[in-house]
Amino acid sequence: MSDKIRVTVWNEFRHEKTHKEVADVYPHGIHGQIATFLGENADIVTRTATLDEPEHGLTDEVLANTDVLIWWGHMAHREVKDEIVDKVQQRILNGMGLIVLHSGHFSKIFRRMMGTNCSLKWREAGERERIWVVDPGHPIAKGLPESFVVPHCEMYGEFFDIPKPDALVFMSWFQGGEVFRSGVAYHRGKGKVFYFRPGHETFPIFYQPEIKQVITNAVRWAAPVCGPYSDLSKAPMVSAPEEFTVSD
Amino acid sequence: MSDKIRVTVWNEFRHEKTHKEVADVYPHGIHGQIATFLGENADIVTRTATLDEPEHGLTDEVLANTDVLIWWGHMAHREVKDEIVDKVQQRILNGMGLIVLHSGHFSKIFRRMMGTNCSLKWREAGERERIWVVDPGHPIAKGLPESFVVPHCEMYGEFFDIPKPDALVFMSWFQGGEVFRSGVAYHRGKGKVFYFRPGHETFPIFYQPEIKQVITNAVRWAAPVCGPYSDLSKAPMVSAPEEFTVSD
Amino acid sequence: MSDKIRVTVWNEFRHEKTHKEVADVYPHGIHGQIATFLGENADIVTRTATLDEPEHGLTDEVLANTDVLIWWGHMAHREVKDEIVDKVQQRILNGMGLIVLHSGHFSKIFRRMMGTNCSLKWREAGERERIWVVDPGHPIAKGLPESFVVPHCEMYGEFFDIPKPDALVFMSWFQGGEVFRSGVAYHRGKGKVFYFRPGHETFPIFYQPEIKQVITNAVRWAAPVCGPYSDLSKAPMVSAPEEFTVSD
Amino acid sequence: MSDKIRVTVWNEFRHEKTHKEVADVYPHGIHGQIATFLGENADIVTRTATLDEPEHGLTDEVLANTDVLIWWGHMAHREVKDEIVDKVQQRILNGMGLIVLHSGHFSKIFRRMMGTNCSLKWREAGERERIWVVDPGHPIAKGLPESFVVPHCEMYGEFFDIPKPDALVFMSWFQGGEVFRSGVAYHRGKGKVFYFRPGHETFPIFYQPEIKQVITNAVRWAAPVCGPYSDLSKAPMVSAPEEFTVSD
């Protein structure tokens, strides 16, 4: 039995097979690159799972042994089965962390957890993005500079249709005139959710040191806390705590 | 064309037909009683809708002409059709207010909007509840005393599996030893959601002046604001705002 | 006795007397211009107060008859007397609204209410600012477009050392590469506080329609709610509510 | 150079000298008992400081070498010098954690950090308190049961005049009919603040295992994160980030 944080990196894994320009940047898939840099940390162990595996690679056994799930999807959100989304949601509410990247904003699991459309504006012009830390005491801001640049990105602009975050850690500036809430953190049930905007299948964003730092920080933040309550899917009927008497 | 707030009071309307003790307390249904006291306000007009009507009474025309939807359900949450829940969710994200009462915590629409189980502890012992105002500057606290008593209630206790509220307006104390976040307010998309705990089909809670005050306040708070953005279900591709140039 | 919202517009009123370029833009003072456009609304009545009046124009009588206080200061924050700040703070906690504009971020009253430094980055380059609505259902966003431009502004950039806002209504984009949380709303005690970034003594920002709309919306949002509790400066010893018995 | 969390436990230390019933419960002072149980953890080192030491024991050197400051005060809040409060505030905004216990709600430093009165209702009847976890995924809830009892306590009741917490971790039920937000967490500047209600000078509350667990968890949560930004007391004028050009 290990004390390490067990991370499962999930990838739709379609772009890398069909688009040479994606495979050139991510020869082992985006999931491969993320698992690689996370695995360099002594306190983290990783595995990967992809859409086309049975049960999308997210069997009961895998989910039960995952502390933090990282989600990348883009083209095939609709192919993710609702019964798997149901299971992932319950696992999160029971304590697992979820980290959603970039185009995963439109994944079924993120929309399910948020209860909103998770829609936004977008533009592909290869423009510059500057990401500012706006909650410098948050664990996910550890080791970062005040701001850092992603030289070429796909723009995501407000309004981002998400619930008000429990913590707003990053805000983005884009060359073209937009802003975006780029790093947003939530508690949900016993679990945690973090959405991080940067990332693109044809830009080498997941090789950038600051991006790797953020995702590593987020994994540690999202790891389960051994707190009370279990099986939040039920509403139990209870007696009064022993020392109290209910009467008129 | 009216400036009044158009409220639709939705009720499952089953208990009242099958249980004499419910019909004795609410001879015109819970929806009838709520519509009656709300309709006494000059700035509010009401209609009602129930589960067994076509489309559960929530046709496109009704939803388009509803500013605030009040939801009561208990026995038959599962009978509410998913396609109606989808429409109500989109209408809320586009600006309609939603007020969910008591056992509606387990309704499909509330769970959809929250993204969590919305589970809780419960006990039917007819015990006392004291409700405290904990955000005295909130519009929903208008005209209320510091606290008030519901003499006989069904207990709901923590952990209540909901997202952290944008505003926590009320907290409940129960005779048996539990506490509960009884009045919780959320912004979602362009719309608003308020959950209010008190209410029961066999207790005359919706005749109590403080309860009527809270629901009336909540209707006014939840009425749509004419703000920007439309059709949040889409993620539009955009050009840069005119005065900016994107280039490398 | 009037039902109107009673607004007091407070201005340091120094720049206008000593700098011709300020007086050219605001011949009746910044307070004069704000009072003028607010006073065009049938539900608002205004008065003004300035630093060099006795008690800075904020006598007990004025404060007792102010529903919303608007604050502009820049050069002379230190000249505001602590005993006046004490009184204004207590009046806010007892229900009065406070709206702080631009360089008022460093006023004693705003720092007092926030408990933080309220520091930020700044630059005077006359650059463009684009302000985005990020909470489109908030009352302060009423009637606004998705975004609007201030053609020439003094830049304020993150990190803005403020508590996490209860609502983040606006975010700013600046030509030079920064972002800023430009419209932030707080509940404090029974009162409310709103900070709004735009505004400058030599730019005609308070003549711009969107800016006037925001400040007018903020006045209505910040007006007191008649809720419970009084004299929050005391911690009263209480007996148990009558129906309960405390015993071992 | 140690990696341990350096905790300074501050105590007014008056009750223990003048009231035998306090000294009987806390023979080494409340600070002594807290430092003792914290010091049993391998990752924590403690020191203590008290009101009657020079500079209240909070010299520049002590503050510079404190990661988390724990605060107990009751009778002598007014004797704490404002210049020390100023320094502690700046140290918190620059990253130090602050944990305020029970009657410390009325300390100068807590009121300064909150910007509100921090008033509440109270009653000394030795009644029972039950504390419920309401954010089970929060690090401060680690290892706790769903709820636990303090058999005899001084009651604190709502309205508690504090800003809306960034996280509400605990809520209390009291035998006499009140509720209270008992564990509230805030980010402020680069630092963190946690207020925890239980504790009393004549009840052995700081010997209770759950209470010791909460305070230990809070220390680990409040320890500084090495994030960006320094000297938040200043508002620096800046040039545009290098890659951008500001022009009309």
Side-chain angles (χ1 to χ4, degrees):
Chain A
M1 179 62 194
S2 164
D3 289 344
K4 296 188 177 189
I5 303 171
R6 301 164 301 174
V7 176
T8 299
V9 185
W10 192 89
N11 185 5
E12 191 180 278
F13 199 33
R14 289 279 170 88
H15 277 308
E16 295 92 333
K17 296 174 183 169
T18 57
H19 290 66
K20 184 176 180 308
E21 68 273 27
V22 181
D24 284 350
V25 180
Y26 295 106
H28 302 288
I30 286 177
H31 56 303
Q33 169 55 13
I34 293 171
T36 296
F37 74 72
L38 285 176
E40 290 165 2
N41 296 285
D43 58 335
I44 294 173
V45 290
T46 65
R47 71 167 96 195
T48 62
T50 57
L51 179 65
D52 293 325
E53 296 173 54
E55 301 184 52
H56 311 321
L58 299 172
T59 62
D60 290 355
E61 190 275 337
V62 168
L63 285 175
N65 289 286
T66 296
D67 293 318
V68 179
L69 177 66
I70 298 183
W71 196 274
W72 173 275
H74 188 191
M75 303 166 67
H77 294 314
R78 291 186 191 173
E79 295 182 40
V80 177
K81 289 174 200 154
D82 287 339
E83 59 263 35
I84 301 295
V85 176
D86 291 345
K87 283 184 187 180
V88 174
Q89 178 183 24
Q90 287 306 319
R91 182 73 185 91
I92 296 166
L93 295 173
N94 200 36
M96 183 178 74
L98 174 72
I99 299 173
V100 176
L101 300 173
H102 192 62
S103 48
H105 73 91
F106 255 172
S107 62
K108 285 186 177 179
I109 184 60
F110 188 56
R111 298 172 80 167
R112 177 75 67 85
M113 296 308 300
M114 297 292 102
T116 55
N117 284 305
C118 304
S119 52
L120 45 77
K121 291 187 170 67
W122 61 281
R123 175 174 61 234
E124 286 195 285
E127 70 203 276
R128 274 195 301 266
E129 174 180 15
R130 184 173 280 274
I131 298 173
W132 290 90
V133 175
V134 295
D135 191 352
H138 197 283
I140 297 181
K142 185 178 175 181
L144 293 171
E146 299 187 1
S147 72
F148 59 94
V149 168
V150 175
H152 302 285
C153 79
E154 178 186 2
M155 185 282 294
Y156 280 5
E158 297 279 348
F159 178 64
F160 187 18
D161 181 19
I162 51 171
K164 186 193 165 200
D166 292 349
L168 173 62
V169 186
F170 303 111
M171 277 166 41
S172 283
W173 175 102
F174 295 96
Q175 198 174 357
E178 285 87 1
V179 294
F180 198 72
R181 289 169 290 172
S182 281
V184 289
Y186 299 89
H187 285 203
R188 286 296 182 268
K190 302 175 64 178
K192 299 186 188 72
V193 178
F194 183 66
Y195 174 81
F196 189 48
R197 192 210 89 79
H200 194 257
E201 62 277 8
T202 62
F203 296 128
I205 291 171
F206 294 120
Y207 294 91
Q208 189 171 332
E210 298 94 340
I211 301 292
K212 290 157 68 175
Q213 178 79 58
V214 170
I215 296 173
T216 307
N217 289 345
V219 162
R220 289 175 180 140
W221 169 82
V225 166
C226 184
Y229 300 105
S230 58
D231 196 3
L232 296 177
S233 67
K234 298 289 195 311
M237 188 177 70
V238 296
S239 303
E242 58 181 318
E243 70 270 38
F244 305 107
T245 307
V246 176
S247 62
D248 288 303
Chain B
M1 179 64 193
S2 162
D3 289 345
K4 297 188 178 190
I5 305 172
R6 301 164 300 173
V7 176
T8 299
V9 185
W10 192 90
N11 185 5
E12 193 180 276
F13 199 33
R14 290 278 171 87
H15 279 309
E16 294 91 333
K17 296 174 184 169
T18 57
H19 291 65
K20 183 173 182 307
E21 67 273 28
V22 181
D24 284 350
V25 179
Y26 294 106
H28 302 288
I30 285 176
H31 56 304
Q33 168 56 11
I34 293 172
T36 296
F37 74 71
L38 285 176
E40 290 166 2
N41 296 285
D43 59 335
I44 294 173
V45 290
T46 65
R47 72 167 96 193
T48 62
T50 57
L51 179 65
D52 293 326
E53 295 174 53
E55 302 183 53
H56 310 322
L58 299 172
T59 62
D60 289 355
E61 190 275 338
V62 167
L63 285 175
N65 288 287
T66 297
D67 293 317
V68 179
L69 177 65
I70 298 183
W71 196 274
W72 172 275
H74 187 192
M75 303 166 68
H77 294 314
R78 292 185 190 174
E79 295 181 40
V80 177
K81 289 174 200 155
D82 287 339
E83 59 263 35
I84 300 295
V85 175
D86 291 344
K87 283 185 188 180
V88 174
Q89 177 183 24
Q90 288 305 320
R91 182 72 186 92
I92 295 166
L93 295 173
N94 201 36
M96 183 179 75
L98 175 71
I99 299 173
V100 176
L101 300 173
H102 192 61
S103 50
H105 73 92
F106 254 172
S107 62
K108 285 186 178 179
I109 185 60
F110 188 57
R111 297 172 80 167
R112 177 76 66 85
M113 297 309 299
M114 297 292 102
T116 55
N117 284 304
C118 305
S119 52
L120 45 77
K121 290 189 170 65
W122 61 280
R123 176 176 59 234
E124 287 195 283
E127 70 202 277
R128 273 194 301 264
E129 174 181 16
R130 183 173 281 274
I131 298 172
W132 290 90
V133 175
V134 295
D135 191 353
H138 198 285
I140 298 181
K142 184 177 174 181
L144 293 171
E146 300 187 1
S147 73
F148 59 94
V149 169
V150 174
H152 301 284
C153 79
E154 179 185 1
M155 185 282 295
Y156 280 5
E158 297 279 347
F159 178 63
F160 186 19
D161 182 19
I162 51 170
K164 186 194 165 198
D166 293 348
L168 174 61
V169 188
F170 303 111
M171 278 166 40
S172 283
W173 176 100
F174 295 96
Q175 198 174 356
E178 285 86 359
V179 294
F180 198 72
R181 289 170 289 171
S182 281
V184 289
Y186 299 89
H187 285 205
R188 286 296 183 267
K190 303 175 63 179
K192 299 185 188 73
V193 178
F194 184 66
Y195 173 81
F196 189 48
R197 193 210 89 78
H200 194 258
E201 63 277 8
T202 61
F203 296 127
I205 290 171
F206 293 121
Y207 293 93
Q208 189 170 332
E210 299 95 338
I211 301 293
K212 290 158 67 175
Q213 177 79 58
V214 170
I215 295 172
T216 307
N217 289 345
V219 162
R220 290 176 180 140
W221 169 82
V225 166
C226 185
Y229 301 104
S230 58
D231 196 4
L232 296 177
S233 67
K234 298 288 193 312
M237 189 176 69
V238 295
S239 303
E242 56 181 319
E243 69 272 36
F244 305 106
T245 307
V246 176
S247 63
D248 288 304
Chain C
M1 179 63 195
S2 163
D3 289 345
K4 297 189 177 190
I5 304 171
R6 300 164 301 172
V7 177
T8 299
V9 184
W10 192 90
N11 184 7
E12 193 180 277
F13 199 33
R14 289 279 170 88
H15 278 307
E16 294 91 334
K17 296 174 184 170
T18 57
H19 291 66
K20 183 175 181 307
E21 68 272 28
V22 181
D24 284 350
V25 179
Y26 295 106
H28 302 289
I30 285 176
H31 56 303
Q33 168 56 13
I34 293 171
T36 297
F37 73 72
L38 284 177
E40 290 165 2
N41 296 286
D43 58 335
I44 295 174
V45 290
T46 65
R47 72 167 96 194
T48 62
T50 58
L51 180 65
D52 293 325
E53 296 173 52
E55 301 184 52
H56 310 322
L58 299 172
T59 60
D60 289 356
E61 190 275 337
V62 167
L63 285 175
N65 289 286
T66 297
D67 293 317
V68 179
L69 177 65
I70 297 183
W71 197 274
W72 173 275
H74 187 192
M75 304 166 68
H77 295 314
R78 291 184 192 175
E79 295 182 41
V80 177
K81 289 175 201 153
D82 287 339
E83 59 264 35
I84 301 295
V85 176
D86 292 345
K87 283 185 190 180
V88 174
Q89 178 183 23
Q90 288 305 320
R91 182 71 185 93
I92 295 166
L93 295 173
N94 201 36
M96 183 179 74
L98 175 72
I99 298 173
V100 176
L101 299 173
H102 191 62
S103 49
H105 73 92
F106 256 171
S107 62
K108 285 186 179 179
I109 185 61
F110 188 56
R111 297 172 81 167
R112 176 75 67 84
M113 297 308 300
M114 297 292 102
T116 55
N117 284 305
C118 305
S119 52
L120 45 78
K121 290 187 171 65
W122 61 281
R123 176 175 59 235
E124 286 195 284
E127 70 201 277
R128 273 195 300 265
E129 173 181 14
R130 184 173 281 275
I131 299 172
W132 291 90
V133 175
V134 295
D135 191 352
H138 197 284
I140 298 180
K142 185 178 174 180
L144 293 171
E146 299 187 1
S147 71
F148 59 95
V149 169
V150 174
H152 301 285
C153 78
E154 178 186 2
M155 185 281 296
Y156 280 5
E158 296 281 345
F159 177 63
F160 187 18
D161 182 19
I162 50 170
K164 185 193 165 198
D166 292 349
L168 174 61
V169 187
F170 303 111
M171 278 166 40
S172 283
W173 175 101
F174 295 95
Q175 198 175 357
E178 285 86 0
V179 294
F180 198 73
R181 289 169 290 172
S182 281
V184 289
Y186 299 89
H187 285 204
R188 286 296 182 268
K190 301 175 65 178
K192 299 186 187 72
V193 178
F194 184 66
Y195 174 80
F196 189 48
R197 194 210 89 78
H200 195 257
E201 62 278 7
T202 63
F203 296 128
I205 290 171
F206 294 121
Y207 294 92
Q208 190 171 331
E210 298 94 339
I211 301 293
K212 291 157 67 175
Q213 178 79 58
V214 170
I215 295 173
T216 307
N217 289 345
V219 163
R220 290 175 179 140
W221 169 81
V225 165
C226 185
Y229 300 105
S230 59
D231 196 4
L232 296 177
S233 67
K234 298 287 194 313
M237 189 176 70
V238 295
S239 302
E242 57 181 319
E243 69 271 35
F244 305 107
T245 306
V246 176
S247 62
D248 289 302
Chain D
M1 179 63 195
S2 163
D3 289 345
K4 297 187 177 189
I5 304 171
R6 300 164 302 174
V7 176
T8 300
V9 185
W10 192 90
N11 184 5
E12 193 179 276
F13 198 34
R14 290 278 171 86
H15 278 308
E16 295 92 333
K17 296 172 183 170
T18 56
H19 291 65
K20 184 174 180 307
E21 67 273 27
V22 180
D24 284 350
V25 179
Y26 295 106
H28 303 288
I30 285 176
H31 56 304
Q33 168 56 12
I34 293 172
T36 296
F37 74 71
L38 285 176
E40 291 166 2
N41 296 285
D43 59 335
I44 295 173
V45 290
T46 65
R47 73 168 94 194
T48 62
T50 58
L51 179 64
D52 293 325
E53 295 174 52
E55 301 183 52
H56 310 322
L58 299 172
T59 62
D60 290 356
E61 190 275 337
V62 167
L63 285 175
N65 289 285
T66 297
D67 294 316
V68 179
L69 177 64
I70 298 183
W71 197 274
W72 172 275
H74 188 193
M75 303 166 67
H77 294 313
R78 292 185 190 175
E79 294 182 40
V80 177
K81 290 175 200 153
D82 288 338
E83 59 264 34
I84 301 295
V85 176
D86 292 345
K87 283 185 188 180
V88 174
Q89 178 183 24
Q90 287 306 319
R91 182 71 186 93
I92 295 166
L93 295 173
N94 200 37
M96 184 178 75
L98 175 71
I99 299 173
V100 176
L101 300 173
H102 191 62
S103 49
H105 74 92
F106 255 172
S107 63
K108 285 186 179 179
I109 185 60
F110 188 56
R111 297 172 80 167
R112 176 75 66 85
M113 297 308 299
M114 298 291 103
T116 54
N117 285 303
C118 305
S119 53
L120 46 76
K121 290 188 171 66
W122 60 281
R123 175 175 60 234
E124 287 195 284
E127 70 202 275
R128 274 195 299 266
E129 173 181 15
R130 182 173 283 273
I131 298 172
W132 291 90
V133 175
V134 294
D135 191 353
H138 198 284
I140 298 181
K142 184 178 174 182
L144 293 172
E146 299 187 2
S147 72
F148 58 95
V149 169
V150 174
H152 301 285
C153 79
E154 179 186 1
M155 185 281 294
Y156 279 6
E158 297 280 349
F159 174 65
F160 186 19
D161 182 19
I162 51 171
K164 187 193 164 200
D166 292 348
L168 174 61
V169 187
F170 303 111
M171 277 166 41
S172 283
W173 175 101
F174 294 96
Q175 197 174 358
E178 284 85 0
V179 294
F180 198 72
R181 288 169 291 171
S182 281
V184 289
Y186 300 89
H187 285 205
R188 286 294 182 267
K190 302 175 64 179
K192 299 184 187 76
V193 178
F194 183 66
Y195 174 80
F196 189 47
R197 195 210 86 78
H200 194 257
E201 63 277 7
T202 62
F203 295 127
I205 290 171
F206 294 120
Y207 294 93
Q208 189 170 333
E210 299 94 338
I211 301 292
K212 291 157 67 174
Q213 178 78 59
V214 170
I215 295 173
T216 306
N217 290 345
V219 163
R220 290 177 179 139
W221 169 82
V225 166
C226 185
Y229 302 103
S230 58
D231 197 4
L232 296 178
S233 68
K234 298 289 194 311
M237 189 178 69
V238 296
S239 303
E242 57 182 318
E243 68 271 36
F244 305 107
T245 307
V246 175
S247 62
D248 288 303

